Amino acid sequence: MAFPVTRMRRLRRTAGVRDLVRETRVAAADLIQPYFVRHGSGEEEIPSMPGQYHLSVDALVERAAAAHAAGVPAVIVFGLPARKDEAASEAFDDEGIVQMAVRALRAHVPELVVMTDVCLCQYTSHGHCGIIQDGDVANDVTLEVLADTALSHARAGADVVAPSDMMDGRVAAIRAALDGEGFERTSILAYSAKFASAFYGPFRDAAHSAPSMGDRRGYQMDPANGREAVREALLDIEEGADMVMVKPALPYLDVLRSLRDQTRVPLAAYQVSGEYAMIAAAAAQGLMDERAAVLEALTAIRRAGADMVITYHAARAARWLS
Ligand code: PBG
């Protein structure tokens, strides 16, 4: 039955009716706040990501506690090591920056879900996500280092380890290492469909992790490939991933939808640094209403199928949503 019997505007007439028929909701409980932690004291704003900070462990605990009090259930921690080397030594050091941060979060904000990014690019002198041999990132050698890194995060108390390196077989290697040491309760959130994206630009500045030669297209996915993203996710699930992720988020909503339709595990989306910086820059110039733009983007990401969203807006969005 078409117009004039059917009138779509009837259900848009009042805020109350719009609330009742709304198909997708965003809540603070769906959001995960990323933090950058470094050695030293205090905090400094990251120039490429206004409103985000390089934090000491103490400053991290303070901000994470405030975000948690505002309703954000989880954080994901990225580390800036004191030194970088070919072997990515600080990545798997029990006294490394992430390991210290996780122990502090565990002690001071016990209810918080603590996730860690498992990757080597911040820790290697060349900035690639694995160990270089014969001019290439050596997959199988890297797996051992990633497994050691995940294990040290679990020992520090991480609830969830999230490998973002895009090596083949990393989920199986990490699961085996965790189970071998009695960490069968530690979850794995796999960055399954991580695309080689220009939208990571501000992060590489924030994490000091730009590769010094070449790029990441030999291991991160081609932005053109949607079917391949489904294969990646299914393989990660077979290897033992508890949850899978699509990254970036807004330019890849179709990929989120396919993964939602073709898997049964919880699905995360990562609204990355470039997505954050675009909204922040437009808002700073008065071109967009920041709050409305953020909530609309988060709604779109949830509508596409994400159960949870890693977003630099998490703490502020939680306050807007309460
Ligand atoms: C580490 C890693 C990156 C991001 C998350 N983990 C950078 C990269 O792969 O270059 C990007 C996050 C963001 O842009 O917000 N491999």
PDB file of all heavy atoms in Angstrom, residues 170-189:
ATOM      1  N   ARG A 170      48.975 -15.869  13.507  1.00  0.00           N
ATOM      2  CA  ARG A 170      49.295 -15.278  14.833  1.00  0.00           C
ATOM      3  C   ARG A 170      48.285 -15.669  15.899  1.00  0.00           C
ATOM      4  O   ARG A 170      48.655 -15.832  17.062  1.00  0.00           O
ATOM      5  CB  ARG A 170      49.438 -13.749  14.741  1.00  0.00           C
ATOM      6  CG  ARG A 170      48.123 -12.948  14.662  1.00  0.00           C
ATOM      7  CD  ARG A 170      47.730 -12.666  13.281  1.00  0.00           C
ATOM      8  NE  ARG A 170      46.415 -12.105  13.007  1.00  0.00           N
ATOM      9  CZ  ARG A 170      46.050 -10.841  13.089  1.00  0.00           C
ATOM     10  NH1 ARG A 170      46.857  -9.939  13.575  1.00  0.00           N
ATOM     11  NH2 ARG A 170      44.869 -10.449  12.697  1.00  0.00           N
ATOM     12  N   VAL A 171      47.014 -15.819  15.509  1.00  0.00           N
ATOM     13  CA  VAL A 171      46.026 -16.143  16.541  1.00  0.00           C
ATOM     14  C   VAL A 171      46.306 -17.522  17.127  1.00  0.00           C
ATOM     15  O   VAL A 171      46.322 -17.702  18.351  1.00  0.00           O
ATOM     16  CB  VAL A 171      44.586 -16.055  15.987  1.00  0.00           C
ATOM     17  CG1 VAL A 171      43.583 -16.544  17.024  1.00  0.00           C
ATOM     18  CG2 VAL A 171      44.267 -14.622  15.582  1.00  0.00           C
ATOM     19  N   ALA A 172      46.588 -18.500  16.265  1.00  0.00           N
ATOM     20  CA  ALA A 172      46.899 -19.858  16.750  1.00  0.00           C
ATOM     21  C   ALA A 172      48.148 -19.833  17.620  1.00  0.00           C
ATOM     22  O   ALA A 172      48.198 -20.472  18.687  1.00  0.00           O
ATOM     23  CB  ALA A 172      47.088 -20.802  15.573  1.00  0.00           C
ATOM     24  N   ALA A 173      49.166 -19.087  17.191  1.00  0.00           N
ATOM     25  CA  ALA A 173      50.416 -19.032  17.954  1.00  0.00           C
ATOM     26  C   ALA A 173      50.180 -18.409  19.329  1.00  0.00           C
ATOM     27  O   ALA A 173      50.691 -18.892  20.349  1.00  0.00           O
ATOM     28  CB  ALA A 173      51.465 -18.234  17.175  1.00  0.00           C
ATOM     29  N   ILE A 174      49.396 -17.342  19.370  1.00  0.00           N
ATOM     30  CA  ILE A 174      49.129 -16.665  20.647  1.00  0.00           C
ATOM     31  C   ILE A 174      48.267 -17.548  21.556  1.00  0.00           C
ATOM     32  O   ILE A 174      48.552 -17.700  22.749  1.00  0.00           O
ATOM     33  CB  ILE A 174      48.463 -15.290  20.392  1.00  0.00           C
ATOM     34  CG1 ILE A 174      49.483 -14.333  19.771  1.00  0.00           C
ATOM     35  CG2 ILE A 174      47.868 -14.719  21.675  1.00  0.00           C
ATOM     36  CD1 ILE A 174      48.900 -13.012  19.287  1.00  0.00           C
ATOM     37  N   ARG A 175      47.239 -18.190  20.974  1.00  0.00           N
ATOM     38  CA  ARG A 175      46.363 -19.069  21.776  1.00  0.00           C
ATOM     39  C   ARG A 175      47.182 -20.193  22.413  1.00  0.00           C
ATOM     40  O   ARG A 175      47.018 -20.509  23.600  1.00  0.00           O
ATOM     41  CB  ARG A 175      45.252 -19.629  20.877  1.00  0.00           C
ATOM     42  CG  ARG A 175      44.135 -20.393  21.569  1.00  0.00           C
ATOM     43  CD  ARG A 175      43.211 -19.505  22.408  1.00  0.00           C
ATOM     44  NE  ARG A 175      43.652 -19.383  23.774  1.00  0.00           N
ATOM     45  CZ  ARG A 175      43.252 -18.423  24.613  1.00  0.00           C
ATOM     46  NH1 ARG A 175      42.407 -17.481  24.244  1.00  0.00           N
ATOM     47  NH2 ARG A 175      43.720 -18.376  25.844  1.00  0.00           N
ATOM     48  N   ALA A 176      48.075 -20.797  21.602  1.00  0.00           N
ATOM     49  CA  ALA A 176      48.877 -21.919  22.103  1.00  0.00           C
ATOM     50  C   ALA A 176      49.799 -21.440  23.228  1.00  0.00           C
ATOM     51  O   ALA A 176      49.927 -22.099  24.266  1.00  0.00           O
ATOM     52  CB  ALA A 176      49.690 -22.537  20.974  1.00  0.00           C
ATOM     53  N   ALA A 177      50.411 -20.270  23.038  1.00  0.00           N
ATOM     54  CA  ALA A 177      51.330 -19.750  24.063  1.00  0.00           C
ATOM     55  C   ALA A 177      50.566 -19.447  25.353  1.00  0.00           C
ATOM     56  O   ALA A 177      51.012 -19.786  26.452  1.00  0.00           O
ATOM     57  CB  ALA A 177      52.033 -18.496  23.548  1.00  0.00           C
ATOM     58  N   LEU A 178      49.402 -18.818  25.224  1.00  0.00           N
ATOM     59  CA  LEU A 178      48.612 -18.477  26.419  1.00  0.00           C
ATOM     60  C   LEU A 178      48.185 -19.751  27.151  1.00  0.00           C
ATOM     61  O   LEU A 178      48.352 -19.862  28.371  1.00  0.00           O
ATOM     62  CB  LEU A 178      47.368 -17.663  26.023  1.00  0.00           C
ATOM     63  CG  LEU A 178      47.591 -16.243  25.493  1.00  0.00           C
ATOM     64  CD1 LEU A 178      46.271 -15.658  24.987  1.00  0.00           C
ATOM     65  CD2 LEU A 178      48.190 -15.333  26.563  1.00  0.00           C
ATOM     66  N   ASP A 179      47.657 -20.701  26.406  1.00  0.00           N
ATOM     67  CA  ASP A 179      47.157 -21.928  27.042  1.00  0.00           C
ATOM     68  C   ASP A 179      48.306 -22.717  27.669  1.00  0.00           C
ATOM     69  O   ASP A 179      48.146 -23.327  28.729  1.00  0.00           O
ATOM     70  CB  ASP A 179      46.391 -22.782  26.031  1.00  0.00           C
ATOM     71  CG  ASP A 179      45.074 -22.124  25.615  1.00  0.00           C
ATOM     72  OD1 ASP A 179      44.746 -21.054  26.180  1.00  0.00           O
ATOM     73  OD2 ASP A 179      44.389 -22.652  24.724  1.00  0.00           O
ATOM     74  N   GLY A 180      49.468 -22.671  27.001  1.00  0.00           N
ATOM     75  CA  GLY A 180      50.639 -23.392  27.506  1.00  0.00           C
ATOM     76  C   GLY A 180      51.113 -22.876  28.861  1.00  0.00           C
ATOM     77  O   GLY A 180      51.765 -23.591  29.610  1.00  0.00           O
ATOM     78  N   GLU A 181      50.802 -21.617  29.171  1.00  0.00           N
ATOM     79  CA  GLU A 181      51.254 -21.031  30.446  1.00  0.00           C
ATOM     80  C   GLU A 181      50.095 -20.828  31.420  1.00  0.00           C
ATOM     81  O   GLU A 181      50.221 -20.077  32.388  1.00  0.00           O
ATOM     82  CB  GLU A 181      51.946 -19.687  30.201  1.00  0.00           C
ATOM     83  CG  GLU A 181      53.145 -19.752  29.287  1.00  0.00           C
ATOM     84  CD  GLU A 181      54.452 -20.034  30.031  1.00  0.00           C
ATOM     85  OE1 GLU A 181      54.566 -19.638  31.212  1.00  0.00           O
ATOM     86  OE2 GLU A 181      55.345 -20.645  29.425  1.00  0.00           O
ATOM     87  N   GLY A 182      48.968 -21.448  31.147  1.00  0.00           N
ATOM     88  CA  GLY A 182      47.849 -21.349  32.092  1.00  0.00           C
ATOM     89  C   GLY A 182      46.975 -20.115  31.931  1.00  0.00           C
ATOM     90  O   GLY A 182      46.203 -19.783  32.820  1.00  0.00           O
ATOM     91  N   PHE A 183      47.091 -19.424  30.787  1.00  0.00           N
ATOM     92  CA  PHE A 183      46.248 -18.238  30.566  1.00  0.00           C
ATOM     93  C   PHE A 183      45.088 -18.558  29.635  1.00  0.00           C
ATOM     94  O   PHE A 183      44.787 -17.801  28.713  1.00  0.00           O
ATOM     95  CB  PHE A 183      47.085 -17.067  30.041  1.00  0.00           C
ATOM     96  CG  PHE A 183      48.046 -16.550  31.059  1.00  0.00           C
ATOM     97  CD1 PHE A 183      49.389 -16.874  30.997  1.00  0.00           C
ATOM     98  CD2 PHE A 183      47.593 -15.772  32.118  1.00  0.00           C
ATOM     99  CE1 PHE A 183      50.282 -16.415  31.957  1.00  0.00           C
ATOM    100  CE2 PHE A 183      48.475 -15.305  33.085  1.00  0.00           C
ATOM    101  CZ  PHE A 183      49.819 -15.632  33.009  1.00  0.00           C
ATOM    102  N   GLU A 184      44.436 -19.702  29.886  1.00  0.00           N
ATOM    103  CA  GLU A 184      43.322 -20.080  29.006  1.00  0.00           C
ATOM    104  C   GLU A 184      42.128 -19.144  29.191  1.00  0.00           C
ATOM    105  O   GLU A 184      41.217 -19.146  28.372  1.00  0.00           O
ATOM    106  CB  GLU A 184      42.936 -21.559  29.189  1.00  0.00           C
ATOM    107  CG  GLU A 184      42.432 -21.981  30.557  1.00  0.00           C
ATOM    108  CD  GLU A 184      43.569 -22.156  31.574  1.00  0.00           C
ATOM    109  OE1 GLU A 184      44.694 -22.490  31.166  1.00  0.00           O
ATOM    110  OE2 GLU A 184      43.322 -21.941  32.770  1.00  0.00           O
ATOM    111  N   ARG A 185      42.141 -18.308  30.214  1.00  0.00           N
ATOM    112  CA  ARG A 185      41.020 -17.378  30.401  1.00  0.00           C
ATOM    113  C   ARG A 185      41.248 -16.027  29.708  1.00  0.00           C
ATOM    114  O   ARG A 185      40.363 -15.175  29.687  1.00  0.00           O
ATOM    115  CB  ARG A 185      40.774 -17.143  31.894  1.00  0.00           C
ATOM    116  CG  ARG A 185      40.346 -18.426  32.616  1.00  0.00           C
ATOM    117  CD  ARG A 185      39.887 -18.139  34.016  1.00  0.00           C
ATOM    118  NE  ARG A 185      40.870 -17.334  34.743  1.00  0.00           N
ATOM    119  CZ  ARG A 185      40.700 -16.899  35.979  1.00  0.00           C
ATOM    120  NH1 ARG A 185      39.582 -17.157  36.632  1.00  0.00           N
ATOM    121  NH2 ARG A 185      41.633 -16.190  36.571  1.00  0.00           N
ATOM    122  N   THR A 186      42.431 -15.804  29.167  1.00  0.00           N
ATOM    123  CA  THR A 186      42.694 -14.542  28.456  1.00  0.00           C
ATOM    124  C   THR A 186      42.094 -14.614  27.046  1.00  0.00           C
ATOM    125  O   THR A 186      42.308 -15.590  26.333  1.00  0.00           O
ATOM    126  CB  THR A 186      44.218 -14.307  28.360  1.00  0.00           C
ATOM    127  OG1 THR A 186      44.779 -14.403  29.669  1.00  0.00           O
ATOM    128  CG2 THR A 186      44.524 -12.945  27.758  1.00  0.00           C
ATOM    129  N   SER A 187      41.318 -13.594  26.674  1.00  0.00           N
ATOM    130  CA  SER A 187      40.639 -13.593  25.362  1.00  0.00           C
ATOM    131  C   SER A 187      41.517 -12.997  24.267  1.00  0.00           C
ATOM    132  O   SER A 187      42.402 -12.189  24.541  1.00  0.00           O
ATOM    133  CB  SER A 187      39.364 -12.753  25.411  1.00  0.00           C
ATOM    134  OG  SER A 187      38.556 -13.140  26.468  1.00  0.00           O
ATOM    135  N   ILE A 188      41.194 -13.390  23.035  1.00  0.00           N
ATOM    136  CA  ILE A 188      41.873 -12.812  21.869  1.00  0.00           C
ATOM    137  C   ILE A 188      40.851 -12.071  21.005  1.00  0.00           C
ATOM    138  O   ILE A 188      39.856 -12.648  20.567  1.00  0.00           O
ATOM    139  CB  ILE A 188      42.571 -13.899  21.023  1.00  0.00           C
ATOM    140  CG1 ILE A 188      43.628 -14.631  21.863  1.00  0.00           C
ATOM    141  CG2 ILE A 188      43.191 -13.283  19.762  1.00  0.00           C
ATOM    142  CD1 ILE A 188      44.319 -15.780  21.130  1.00  0.00           C
ATOM    143  N   LEU A 189      41.127 -10.787  20.804  1.00  0.00           N
ATOM    144  CA  LEU A 189      40.362  -9.973  19.843  1.00  0.00           C
ATOM    145  C   LEU A 189      41.275  -9.785  18.637  1.00  0.00           C
ATOM    146  O   LEU A 189      42.289  -9.095  18.739  1.00  0.00           O
ATOM    147  CB  LEU A 189      39.998  -8.612  20.474  1.00  0.00           C
ATOM    148  CG  LEU A 189      39.528  -7.503  19.540  1.00  0.00           C
ATOM    149  CD1 LEU A 189      38.296  -7.901  18.745  1.00  0.00           C
ATOM    150  CD2 LEU A 189      39.228  -6.224  20.330  1.00  0.00           C
TER     151      LEU A 189
END
